[in-house]
Amino acid sequence: MSTATAPARADVPRYRQPTRRWAEAGLLVGAFVVGAAAYVQVDLAILGELASDTVPVLCAIAALLLVVHVAIRYLAPYADPIIVPAVATLNILGLTMIHRLDLADLQRAQRNGDPAPSPDVYTQLTWTALGILLAIAVLVVLRDHRILQRYTYTAMFAGLVLLLLPLAPLIGATVNGATLWIRVAGLSFQPGELAKILLTIFFAGYLTVTRDSLALVRTKVLGVGLPRGRDLGPLFVAWFISLGVLVFERDLGTSLLFFGLFVALLYVATQRRSWLVLGAVLFIVGAVAAYFAFGHVRLRVDVWLHPFADEADTSYQIAQSLYGFASGGMFGSGLGQGYPQLVPYAKSDFIVSAFGEELGLIGLVAMLVLYGVIVERGLRTAIACRDVFGSLLAAGLSISLGLQVFVVVGGVSRLIPLTGLTTPFLAQGGSSLVANWIAIGLLMRISDTARRPDEAEAVALTDAPTQVVGR
């Protein structure tokens, strides 16, 4: 009778984690095929043939996907294999809808005898290339994400400066009532998008150091354990800064995103539900005060509650958006066969409405599932990461993306008041696209570190001996 003894725990070798790079390559090919088919469908539906620039644009997209895949293969071989293909699919679909609206603009100009407008898809493709190159630069420069923890307060200072930069004279610009842009040498940029990443780094670094005191030290009030007054300071600071953004820049979306991100990270770091309760109370107090104090907030709420009361003027955008959703129904009118150009800002703030009309509820849900996959893989990276700072940073970047999608889709579908944020990777605009690709670069670096085995102990899975483990 043979006997087998279980090896000591320290003697069990760690098996090499498969890199899954070929799986990523296959998913990227699938993303390109889906995006290219949508792009061609738009041309055939509107023009009856391929546009002259379709093949060059698709070749450029294929080249960018090849570059990002090769870069990840060599710079972060153990990075999550699903995040970039999901992001690429959304990015290509965004380019497709902008191209579809470019063709609508061209047809309208031809009907009116106006000069042909410049296609916006070229600019968006350029921003896509810049975003991908910056994401690769993050992988080149940042070999270990823990280095960022050294710059916790530098990130806070830089983030606040960027957040306040639109208020600076001469370079600050107000568009549609919101002061979110800076203009330098004819170029405009929204610095709040980069501030979002820097402040996430600050939150992660700050909570890494203070999470124990925030979680464990309590003060009894009427028998209920509450955080100490000194520990409530960060929450109040985040609350006041978010109110400052709302008041001085008239940016309801960034204000909500900034405060919600900090409260969510507080909960992730401490696992204390009381932070969520306190955050909800402060949010309600701030929202009610903003409603009575500021006219633009009252207008947003009134339009939200009564979208068809003044649909020719103040509620024109949301009314057209809802008509677009209703026209699309369950299955949509088909790419290139609807009228999304009737919705104002269909390329930027209301691009979700354009997709809702032409792809219907089913297509829109499929796109939301892609966002859910990105957030889920980011949170999975946070759980797998071996250091607290990396876990909080990955969770913060994922929560930020999820919050932004919720705020935008909720706004254009009238679930919540309109806020003015853009849909990540879909909407026209270089600031958001570049910043979100940088965030993806950070997530890839953290996931590479989290999934990378200890090379000294790892053995190939195929070489692993069969072991009998005793109970």
Side-chain angles (χ1 to χ4, degrees):
M1 179 178 178
S2 61
T3 59
T5 58
R9 188 177 182 82
D11 296 333
V12 176
R14 297 182 61 186
Y15 301 123
R16 182 175 297 128
Q17 176 85 344
T19 61
R20 307 290 188 195
R21 296 277 66 86
W22 287 113
E24 180 188 77
L27 290 172
L28 282 173
V29 170
F32 177 77
V33 169
V34 170
Y39 210 97
V40 170
Q41 162 65 21
V42 165
D43 282 353
L44 295 180
I46 297 178
L47 304 175
E49 59 182 358
L50 291 183
S52 59
D53 59 351
T54 293
V55 173
V57 168
L58 292 180
C59 288
I61 293 172
L64 289 173
L65 296 184
L66 179 63
V67 167
V68 71
H69 172 69
V70 172
I72 292 172
R73 183 174 283 270
Y74 286 98
L75 297 172
Y78 289 95
D80 189 284
I82 296 177
I83 292 177
V84 167
V87 169
T89 305
L90 291 167
N91 202 156
I92 300 172
L93 288 176
L95 289 167
T96 299
M97 182 52 72
I98 292 170
H99 170 61
R100 185 255 175 275
L101 293 166
D102 281 342
L103 292 180
D105 291 341
L106 178 62
Q107 289 181 327
R108 182 170 54 201
Q110 290 173 341
R111 284 196 302 270
N112 297 334
D114 297 331
S118 300
D120 290 319
V121 70
Y122 298 153
T123 307
Q124 187 73 356
L125 186 58
T126 304
W127 285 116
T128 300
L130 181 60
I132 289 176
L133 291 178
L134 288 176
I136 294 172
V138 169
L139 297 178
V140 172
V141 174
L142 191 66
R143 292 293 182 171
D144 188 342
H145 64 270
R146 289 170 293 187
I147 295 174
L148 293 175
Q149 191 178 356
R150 301 176 190 170
Y151 303 99
T152 295
Y153 290 96
T154 304
M156 180 197 71
F157 178 74
L160 291 178
V161 168
L162 286 175
L163 205 58
L164 299 175
L165 208 53
L167 298 175
L170 302 179
I171 60 173
T174 300
V175 179
N176 296 327
T179 309
L180 307 177
W181 287 265
I182 58 172
R183 282 184 178 152
V184 179
L187 298 176
S188 62
F189 192 77
Q190 197 171 338
E193 292 289 342
L194 284 180
K196 178 180 64 181
I197 298 176
L198 291 169
L199 291 174
T200 304
I201 294 173
F202 162 67
F203 291 157
Y206 174 80
L207 292 173
T208 299
V209 176
T210 60
R211 66 189 187 115
D212 288 339
S213 63
L214 290 169
L216 300 176
V217 182
R218 323 289 291 174
T219 299
K220 288 284 186 181
V221 178
L222 300 176
V224 179
L226 295 175
R228 296 179 306 179
R230 73 182 71 173
D231 296 330
L232 289 172
L235 189 60
F236 281 115
V237 169
W239 186 56
F240 280 117
I241 292 177
S242 62
L243 284 179
V245 172
L246 174 63
V247 173
F248 295 109
E249 299 186 2
R250 293 174 176 262
D251 185 6
L252 181 61
T254 300
S255 173
L256 180 61
L257 178 65
F258 176 68
F259 184 68
L261 172 63
F262 185 60
V263 173
L265 271 184
L266 264 175
Y267 172 70
V268 171
T270 62
Q271 299 296 304
R272 290 282 186 179
R273 287 190 291 271
S274 57
W275 288 113
L276 295 180
V277 175
L278 285 170
V281 170
L282 287 176
F283 172 77
I284 292 171
V285 170
V288 172
Y291 177 81
F292 287 105
F294 309 116
H296 65 283
V297 176
R298 270 199 306 278
L299 178 61
R300 292 283 180 96
V301 175
D302 290 342
V303 167
W304 172 53
L305 294 175
H306 311 289
F308 302 107
D310 189 17
E311 60 180 287
D313 189 11
T314 57
S315 58
Y316 182 73
Q317 295 178 354
I318 187 64
Q320 291 300 314
S321 173
L322 295 176
Y323 286 138
F325 282 123
S327 175
M330 185 66 72
F331 300 102
S333 59
L335 277 172
Q337 300 180 54
Y339 299 93
Q341 65 272 21
L342 298 180
V343 181
Y345 304 106
K347 294 180 182 176
S348 53
D349 293 11
F350 285 84
I351 197 168
V352 172
S353 305
F355 278 110
E357 178 177 350
E358 298 212 322
L359 296 183
L361 178 63
I362 292 178
L364 203 54
V365 168
M367 296 174 71
L368 293 178
V369 167
L370 281 177
Y371 282 114
V373 167
I374 299 170
V375 173
E376 187 271 339
R377 300 301 294 192
L379 294 177
R380 182 187 289 247
T381 296
I383 293 172
C385 195
R386 304 183 186 100
D387 64 283
V388 176
F389 174 74
S391 293
L392 290 175
L393 183 56
L397 294 172
S398 307
I399 291 170
S400 171
L401 178 67
L403 269 177
Q404 188 164 347
V405 173
F406 169 76
V407 167
V408 174
V409 177
V412 299
S413 61
R414 200 178 155 242
L415 179 64
I416 60 175
L418 277 172
T419 56
L421 289 176
T422 56
T423 317
F425 305 111
L426 284 181
Q428 180 187 17
S431 313
S432 173
L433 191 56
V434 168
N436 283 311
W437 267 110
I438 292 174
I440 292 300
L442 284 172
L443 267 181
M444 297 302 284
R445 171 54 68 211
I446 298 172
S447 68
D448 176 61
T449 306
R451 298 177 75 245
R452 182 182 292 273
D454 187 340
E455 295 293 341
E457 298 179 358
V459 297
L461 188 59
T462 54
D463 299 333
T466 302
Q467 297 177 359
V468 179
V469 180
R471 293 195 296 178

